[in-house]
Amino acid sequence: GNALHALGEVDEAATLHLQSLADFEANLGAEHPYVGYALESSVDALVACGRLEEAKPLASRLLVMREATPEDTAALEKARA
C-alpha cells in the first residue's frame, strides 16, 4: 500500500491498507500495535483520495489507541525520526 500511495495510486493504496487493517484485526485483535499502524496508513490513504467521511472513524480509533498507549506512540515517533 505504501508504494502505491507514493506512486500516486491512492485509491488502490487505500484498498490495500483497509484490507491489511481487517487482516490484522482478525488475526491479532483490535488492540494490537500493528492495528494502530494499519489504522494510520489507512487514514493517510483515505484522506489522500478524498474519502474523508470514511477516514474520520478510523482516525478517532487511532487517537484513542495512541492516548491509551503514549509510550508506544513515543517509541514509534522516535523510530521514524
Side-chain angles (χ1 to χ4, degrees):
N2 290 336
L4 288 171
H5 192 158
L7 292 171
E9 301 292 335
V10 291
D11 288 314
E12 288 182 57
T15 299
L16 288 177
H17 285 302
L18 290 169
Q19 183 59 55
S20 294
L21 173 60
D23 291 345
F24 285 139
E25 286 179 314
N27 292 298
L28 302 173
E31 302 302 317
H32 195 279
Y34 286 177
V35 171
Y37 305 146
L39 278 167
E40 183 176 13
S41 296
S42 296
V43 169
D44 288 346
L46 289 169
V47 168
C49 61
R51 294 162 59 182
L52 303 181
E53 291 304 313
E54 197 174 344
K56 284 180 185 179
L58 299 180
S60 294
R61 284 183 53 204
L62 178 59
L63 180 60
V64 168
M65 284 183 81
R66 285 188 169 179
E67 288 175 343
T69 57
E71 64 282 351
D72 290 344
T73 301
L76 174 62
E77 295 304 322
K78 183 177 179 182
R80 288 187 174 168

